[in-house]
Amino acid sequence: MSAPAPTQVPTPEQSAAAEAFRSGSDLVIQAGAGTGKTTTLAMLAQEARSQGRQGRYIAFNKAIAREAARTFPAKITCSTAHALAYAAIGRHYQARMNAPRQAGWKAGAALGIDAGTSLRLGPRKVTHKALSYTVLRTVTRFCQSADKDIGHQHVPSLRGAESEPLHRRLADLVLPYARKAWADLQHPDHGVVRFEHDHYLKMWALQDPVVAADVLLLDEAQDTNPVVEQVFTAQRGHAQLVLVGDSAQAIYGWRGARDVMAGFPGQQLSLSRSFRFGPALATEANRWLAIADAPIRLTGAPWLATELSKVPKPQAVLCRSNAGAMVEVIWQLEAGRRVALAGGGDALRALARAAHALESGRRTAHPELMLFESWAELREYAECDPAGRDLLPLVELVDEHGADAVLRALDRLSPEDIAEVTVSTVHRAKGREWDSVRIAGDFTGPDDLDERGDDGAPLPGPIDVDEARLAYVAVTRARSRLDIGGLSWINGHPAGDPRPSEPSLTATAHLHPDEQPVPRATKRPPQARPLPTVHDESTQGDR
């Protein structure tokens, strides 16, 4: 039985942050998983109020902003960057945002991409529908960047045509249409391209806006789009800037996000004592933090006894991708459990319908699969091309059960409030926590090197930093019990059990001796190698 939590008082690290804030200097606060980030931000907001300063808190999405508004003082306005941009620019485009939704190829047709427009990229044929989708994605990626003009770097790579020569050929065709689409979006009352929230955010940023505030608090700073970073850092001349986040949780780089905390010229502080879990899980988290070369190490709450063990019936199962989540949903339903899917089943249904189309001999407009002309072609790509191995769980699942069976299974999903287990991608699980968590089997270790060790066995390759960050986010979602499951390959990897290293000075300078990190437990034996690495395509939170 866990000891009761002590009375909540500011930790030495939180008090140090409040003292540094009072000095007026810009701050960068590395806040590890469960370390009281929101409480610390509320403390800083109270300090600003006591000094009579006007402040603004900028959150990742509306839900977080609303939650902060309930605890922050009235002098601190809580909103998203999109809300600021909407008040200045977006409201003038309301009529276009309320326009009916339409298929992307129809917008492409209005821009001049007719049914006869296509491009051959190696073995793949890019149809007019795929080109239209790529044009619209190019505009979105430009809007998330800090660039002044649309360029080759904004054109997304397409599945099955990832090489640089093929991408350049694609970009040469796409860019004139993307620039035409951006010009179309400048009209407040008419146009052929559907107007989205990212469009007015970019327009606002291009005007070099000044945010009226004495203090700016940027939350989740490790996942900031460059366009928001550009606006935020431009306020240094008149406002105190405070960046709060966890660099080790920077897992949206594939979507264009950037860790604005890295290299920011402010006073560096940290929150390292987790209130979510105990010392055993902190030790597990720290080995992933070491691999990711993160600036902090965690200590667990001494009054919590978090176990690392097998969890046959966890509250949550965390997956590497949507394809992996689909596999896990099927398994859990076959085990007779009521299953919920974090964020709903729309993304998986769209992927399953796309698989059904290919399985039936029809092409699909799904962005992940739209370059493939048949199911056999997709299977070959997933099985033989290293760039496609993340789609292998989907291919194997459909080959075993059929796309119809997968769609029927998704129709059996339950709401989270009555479900026995929640299946989630790690990206959608970010910011959440459960009592018991199992890591799904679609996480894998790095490929073996050509070199061999003294015993003649192949040496494992180095662990990708992005994968270490994703693993860190996954393992720190548990409060009481963690089953590392698909991440158990780390127990047999040389980087997985380093000698206990001294946590960083900033992470432990203010800790009580009872809160210092505990030594690593005896290494567990390696388990079977799980399914191939997969990739998540979940979307950003609401505005």
Side-chain angles (χ1 to χ4, degrees), residues 331-466:
W331 288 349
Q332 292 292 331
L333 287 171
E334 288 180 345
R337 303 190 77 192
R338 294 190 304 276
V339 185
L341 189 66
D346 289 348
L348 291 194
R349 286 190 185 90
L351 195 57
R353 290 191 189 104
H356 183 268
L358 286 174
E359 197 183 32
S360 304
R362 295 177 284 112
R363 293 193 71 147
T364 174
H366 192 284
E368 283 290 282
L369 308 181
M370 63 188 180
L371 290 196
F372 301 98
E373 298 186 32
S374 68
W375 184 253
E377 189 178 283
L378 174 62
R379 183 191 294 115
E380 180 184 12
Y381 172 75
E383 291 177 346
C384 304
D385 193 323
R389 62 188 297 218
D390 59 316
L391 291 173
L392 193 57
L394 168 68
V395 170
E396 291 177 336
L397 182 68
V398 172
D399 279 345
E400 180 179 353
H401 297 277
D404 279 334
V406 173
L407 285 166
R408 287 195 299 271
L410 293 175
D411 288 338
R412 295 168 56 196
L413 290 170
S414 301
E416 281 199 60
D417 58 350
I418 64 170
E420 296 173 279
V421 59
T422 296
V423 175
S424 177
T425 63
V426 177
H427 291 85
R428 288 196 179 276
K430 192 164 173 289
R432 301 188 60 180
E433 56 188 77
W434 293 269
D435 275 343
S436 59
V437 170
R438 176 170 62 78
I439 308 301
D442 62 340
F443 288 81
T444 58
D447 292 333
D448 289 337
L449 301 173
D450 293 335
E451 305 170 33
R452 295 182 178 272
D454 295 338
D455 59 356
L459 295 175
I463 299 171
D464 183 79
V465 170
D466 290 336

Side-chain angles (χ1 to χ4, degrees), residues 142-180:
F142 163 65
C143 289
Q144 294 169 347
S145 76
D147 299 323
K148 298 288 185 182
D149 301 295
I150 298 177
H152 282 71
Q153 69 274 23
H154 304 124
V155 180
S157 295
L158 299 184
R159 285 284 193 175
E162 294 93 344
S163 71
E164 179 55 32
L166 296 182
H167 180 264
R168 182 156 293 276
R169 287 188 60 204
L170 174 68
D172 288 342
L173 179 59
V174 164
L175 283 174
Y177 293 110
R179 290 169 182 140
K180 188 175 180 180

